[in-house]
């Protein structure tokens, strides 16, 4: 029976209000009940903090900018090339690389859900999973790009690629002017997550 009281205003929730503390409380409870292995959780956290993410994709792009043979091989069979670099695993299968040029700008979406190349780009950003992005980028890609701050010449075609569970895409952005003479490590610093989705451009700093 619900009780009525107006003499106090404290919360009746047993979990702490801070999301991080709530997660920690849940983890502690599940560990105490033997339902999860803390070592397995540590392994998962280490993977997403240190082994996968856009830094991997940036390394691939920087090599593609620097090595013509590597770029050709990447465009021919991205799955094999990135696997040789050690970037493979869940959501990293069946990779396809597409290259931005003066004539074509590529942009990636998953219209059904949020398929995304985790080993190369990490966890997808919230906007990538939003209904608005998934619906609009197909219908009006230039307008969406404009909202991301990407202005393209009128003569540049925009090609939208629909990522699926079978195929995931990596956009190779155009190498920015002013980056001549940079080594691979310096070039990788110019590559952003958004530029590898197509919603951004690589820029020399």
């Amino acid at each position: 029976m619900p009780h009525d009281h107006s003499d106090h205003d404290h919360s009746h929730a047993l979990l702490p209000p801070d999301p991080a503390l709530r997660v920690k409380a849940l983890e502690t409870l599940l560990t105490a009940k033997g339902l999860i292995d803390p070592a397995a959780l540590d392994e998962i956290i280490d993977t997403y903090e240190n082994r996968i993410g856009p830094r991997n994709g940036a390394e691939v792009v920087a090599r593609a900018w620097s090595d013509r043979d590597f770029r050709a091989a990447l465009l021919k069979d991205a799955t094999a090339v990135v696997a040789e670099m050690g970037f493979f695993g869940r959501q990293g299968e069946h990779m396809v690389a597409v290259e931005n040029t003066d004539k074509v700008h590529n942009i990636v979406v998953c219209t059904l859900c949020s398929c995304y190349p985790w080993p190369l780009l990490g966890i997808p950003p919230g906007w990538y999973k939003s209904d608005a992005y998934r619906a609009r980028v197909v219908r009006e890609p230039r307008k969406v790009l404009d909202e991301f701050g990407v202005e393209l010449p009128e003569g540049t075609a925009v090609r939208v690629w629909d990522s699926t569970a079978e195929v995931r895409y990596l956009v190779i952005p155009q190498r920015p002017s002013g980056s001549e003479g940079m080594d691979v490590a310096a070039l990788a610093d110019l590559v952003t997550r958004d530029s590898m989705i197509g919603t951004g451009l690589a820029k020399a700093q």
Side-chain angles (χ1 to χ4, degrees), residues 83-104:
E84 287 178 3
M85 296 178 71
F87 306 142
F88 56 85
R90 188 181 179 201
Q91 297 263 359
E93 312 90 346
H94 316 302
M95 288 296 309
V96 171
V98 291
E99 184 178 29
N100 286 349
T101 67
D102 289 338
K103 295 182 178 180
V104 177

Side-chain angles (χ1 to χ4, degrees), residues 51 56-61 63-64 70-71 73-89 91-97 117-121 168-172 196:
R51 298 182 214 167
N56 293 346
E59 182 179 337
V60 173
V61 170
R63 281 193 63 182
F70 177 85
R71 183 174 72 249
L74 182 67
L75 292 170
K76 183 178 181 180
D77 187 352
T79 304
V81 170
V82 298
E84 287 178 3
M85 296 178 71
F87 306 142
F88 56 85
Q91 297 263 359
E93 312 90 346
H94 316 302
M95 288 296 309
V96 171
W118 290 6
L120 294 177
L121 300 187
R168 294 176 181 83
Y169 296 93
L170 172 71
V171 174
I172 305 173
M196 293 183 281

Side-chain angles (χ1 to χ4, degrees), residues 99-106 152 155-159 161 174:
E99 184 178 29
N100 286 349
T101 67
D102 289 338
K103 295 182 178 180
V104 177
H105 181 90
N106 299 281
L152 301 174
T156 301
V158 179
R159 187 171 296 164
W161 297 90
Q174 285 189 282

Side-chain angles (χ1 to χ4, degrees), residues 7-122:
D7 57 335
H8 63 278
D9 58 0
H10 65 263
S11 171
H12 286 201
L14 297 177
L15 292 173
D18 183 272
L21 293 177
R22 292 170 74 97
V23 170
K24 187 63 181 175
L26 182 60
E27 178 186 338
T28 301
L29 178 63
L30 293 173
T31 300
K33 290 181 175 293
L35 297 175
I36 60 173
D37 179 359
L41 287 180
D42 289 344
E43 179 71 15
I44 292 171
I45 292 170
D46 180 65
T47 296
Y48 286 99
E49 284 187 344
N50 302 309
R51 298 182 214 167
I52 72 171
R55 190 69 192 172
N56 293 346
E59 182 179 337
V60 173
V61 170
R63 281 193 63 182
W65 284 344
S66 304
D67 184 334
R68 181 177 300 178
D69 292 338
F70 177 85
R71 183 174 72 249
L74 182 67
L75 292 170
K76 183 178 181 180
D77 187 352
T79 304
V81 170
V82 298
E84 287 178 3
M85 296 178 71
F87 306 142
F88 56 85
R90 188 181 179 201
Q91 297 263 359
E93 312 90 346
H94 316 302
M95 288 296 309
V96 171
V98 291
E99 184 178 29
N100 286 349
T101 67
D102 289 338
K103 295 182 178 180
V104 177
H105 181 90
N106 299 281
I107 184 170
V108 181
V109 65
C110 176
T111 56
L112 290 178
C113 48
S114 58
C115 294
Y116 192 78
W118 290 6
L120 294 177
L121 300 187

